[in-house]
């Protein structure tokens, strides 16, 4: 028995299925400087939340942990590193969100366009009945973007866009930089707790308590219950003790959650690129009909030719070199 996907392809091969006379002419193309942006309420909310979470991490790292520290070199080094990674993460997010992922011209399944393809006997074209466009090979329709996207991997609400042929590099960089700042934030929180709890916060109030576990438990209870700040030195935080502990715990939870999520997503994307098989193709178990390339070549197709530091730069548009162009005719 034929699969549902195979039956759909067989229907698309029938001459009467295309019906180019039912397609309206494609809308006029805008200027090359027109920004791509999906007006999806859920995606916009998720994108705003992403930026707010990064800003929250910035606030806690800079003003709660680094700014009050006495060691200027320590604060300067970690501040520059964290802020640089956060800036690259937000820049990658913006590029992934505002870059056309590879949308097929909508409504181009017209009689004139099909005739311009100069089909030969035996050649077929696929039409998307939802957006009335001629689909290139390996393109899929996105119900959120309402367009067919070339080499579509998935639609990500966190970047309010599809991840496709033209913006996969920026999405991979976004997941990588978010994972890095999450790990950095967790390391700073751990070091801050050890430094302040062991040396500063305990020295003025709990040195007489012999049991260190009991001392720390009692100290945390007083922090959260009474807000006693008599033993809080300026080099640990400019905020009250309860506020500092709560801010650090929330940052720790956020960093751990997003470290796991983005690290897994980063690994999944790199594997998908190296195998040259998108997430949708893996999910649908589509038959592989495209030319198989080496893993290194697949990486260069996404990040650009040749290998350079521009691979890590979200502002550098990748040069696909001699990458295969996804044709309308198969």
């Amino acid at each position: 028995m034929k699969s549902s996907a195979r039956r759909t392809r067989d229907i698309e091969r029938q001459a009467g299925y295309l019906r180019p006379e039912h397609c309206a002419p494609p809308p006029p193309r805008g200027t090359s400087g027109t920004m791509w942006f999906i007006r999806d309420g859920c995606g916009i909310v998720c994108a705003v939340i992403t930026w707010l979470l990064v800003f929250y991490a910035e606030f806690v790292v800079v003003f709660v942990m680094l700014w009050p520290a006495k060691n200027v070199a320590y604060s300067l080094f970690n501040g520059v590193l964290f802020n640089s990674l956060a800036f690259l993460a937000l820049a990658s997010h913006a590029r992934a969100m505002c870059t056309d992922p590879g949308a097929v011209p909508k409504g181009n399944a017209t009689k004139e366009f099909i005739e311009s393809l100069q089909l030969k006997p035996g050649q077929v074209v696929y039409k998307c009945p939802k957006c009335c466009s001629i689909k290139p090979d390996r393109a899929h329709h996105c119900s959120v973007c309402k367009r067919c996207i070339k080499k579509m991997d998935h639609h990500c609400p966190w970047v309010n866009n599809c991840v496709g042929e033209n913006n996969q590099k920026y999405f991979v960089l976004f997941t990588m930089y978010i994972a890095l700042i999450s790990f950095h934030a967790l390391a700073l929180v751990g070091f801050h707790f050890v430094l302040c709890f062991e040396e500063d916060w305990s020295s003025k109030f709990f040195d007489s308590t012999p049991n260190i576990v009991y001392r720390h438990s009692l100290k945390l209870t007083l922090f959260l219950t009474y807000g006693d700040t008599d033993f809080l030195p300026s080099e640990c935080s400019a905020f009250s003790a309860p506020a500092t502990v709560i801010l650090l715990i929330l940052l720790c939870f956020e960093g751990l959650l997003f470290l796991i999520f983005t690290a897994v997503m980063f690994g999944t994307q790199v594997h998908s690129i190296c195998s040259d098989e998108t997430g949708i193709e893996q999910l649908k178990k589509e038959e592989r009909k495209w030319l198989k390339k080496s893993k290194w070549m697949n990486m260069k197709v996404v990040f650009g030719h040749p290998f350079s530091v521009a691979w890590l730069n979200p502002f550098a548009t990748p040069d696909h070199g001699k990458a295969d162009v996804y044709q309308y005719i198969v």
Side-chain angles (χ1 to χ4, degrees):
M1 181 180 293
K2 294 183 179 180
S3 64
S4 176
R6 179 60 59 83
R7 287 198 299 270
T8 302
R9 290 297 190 185
D10 290 342
I11 292 175
E12 290 176 345
R13 291 174 185 272
Q14 298 175 9
Y17 176 80
L18 197 58
R19 301 179 185 275
E21 65 277 4
H22 290 178
C23 289
R29 297 182 64 87
T31 61
S32 57
T34 303
M35 185 179 69
W36 174 273
F37 186 79
I38 301 300
R39 294 177 177 84
D40 175 56
C42 177
I44 295 174
V45 170
C46 289
V48 171
I49 291 176
T50 300
W51 281 62
L52 291 178
L53 289 174
V54 174
F55 288 147
Y56 171 77
E58 283 268 355
F59 169 77
V60 177
V61 168
V62 174
F63 294 101
V64 177
M65 291 188 288
L66 298 182
W67 186 266
K70 288 183 177 180
N71 193 323
V72 177
Y74 169 82
S75 297
L76 186 61
F77 173 78
N78 285 284
V80 170
L81 178 60
F82 188 88
N83 282 278
S84 298
L85 292 175
F87 173 76
L88 291 172
L90 293 179
S92 301
H93 182 275
R95 290 299 302 273
M97 179 172 58
C98 299
T99 299
D100 182 347
V104 179
K106 196 172 184 179
N108 68 348
T110 60
K111 183 177 180 181
E112 294 77 12
F113 183 78
I114 296 173
E115 291 176 351
S116 68
L117 296 178
Q118 299 180 350
L119 299 178
K120 298 178 182 179
Q123 290 181 319
V124 294
V125 292
Y126 298 148
K127 171 202 168 184
C128 176
K130 297 178 180 179
C131 58
C132 206
S133 62
I134 302 297
K135 296 173 64 174
D137 193 21
R138 302 184 68 183
H140 294 85
H141 184 85
C142 175
S143 58
V144 180
C145 298
K146 296 180 175 59
R147 300 286 289 273
C148 283
I149 307 297
K150 291 183 288 184
K151 207 179 177 183
M152 174 182 170
D153 187 87
H154 69 286
H155 183 92
C156 179
W158 294 105
V159 297
N160 189 35
N161 201 1
C162 276
V163 178
E165 182 182 41
N166 294 339
N167 68 342
Q168 189 172 24
K169 169 192 172 179
Y170 311 125
F171 180 76
V172 173
L173 292 181
F174 166 67
T175 58
M176 182 185 72
Y177 287 127
I178 289 294
L180 288 176
I181 64 173
S182 298
F183 178 79
H184 191 196
L186 287 173
L188 290 175
V189 169
F191 184 78
H192 196 76
F193 266 113
V194 170
L195 178 66
C196 293
F197 271 60
E198 291 295 339
E199 298 182 5
D200 297 320
W201 291 349
S202 59
S203 62
K204 296 185 178 181
F205 195 79
F206 296 103
D207 282 345
S208 60
T209 306
N211 190 318
I212 190 172
V213 176
Y214 172 76
R215 186 171 73 222
H216 288 179
S217 300
L218 178 61
K219 173 177 51 183
L220 184 60
T221 301
L222 288 175
F223 279 178
L224 299 177
T225 305
Y226 301 105
D228 194 346
T229 61
D230 293 337
F231 50 90
L232 183 64
S234 61
E235 61 266 22
C236 277
S237 178
F239 297 87
S240 65
T244 301
V245 172
I246 292 174
L247 289 172
L248 293 181
I249 290 177
L250 290 177
L251 178 61
C252 189
F253 177 76
E254 176 192 345
L256 183 61
L257 178 65
F258 280 93
L259 174 61
I260 296 174
F261 176 75
T262 55
V264 171
M265 182 60 70
F266 174 77
T268 302
Q269 286 294 301
V270 172
H271 176 268
S272 175
I273 293 172
C274 291
S275 62
D276 193 19
E277 194 173 16
T278 66
I280 291 182
E281 291 167 348
Q282 294 176 10
L283 183 64
K284 293 185 175 182
K285 297 180 179 180
E286 294 186 358
E287 182 182 356
R288 188 186 187 101
K289 296 181 181 180
W290 52 93
L291 180 65
K292 186 175 182 179
K293 299 183 289 289
S294 66
K295 295 180 180 180
W296 185 243
M297 179 57 68
N298 290 330
M299 292 290 289
K300 290 195 290 186
V301 167
V302 173
F303 290 95
H305 292 252
F307 170 75
S308 67
V309 71
W311 281 25
L312 303 177
N313 182 7
F315 298 100
T317 303
D319 178 13
H320 299 295
K322 297 181 179 179
D324 295 333
V325 179
Y326 297 98
Q327 301 291 340
Y328 288 97
I329 306 171
V330 296

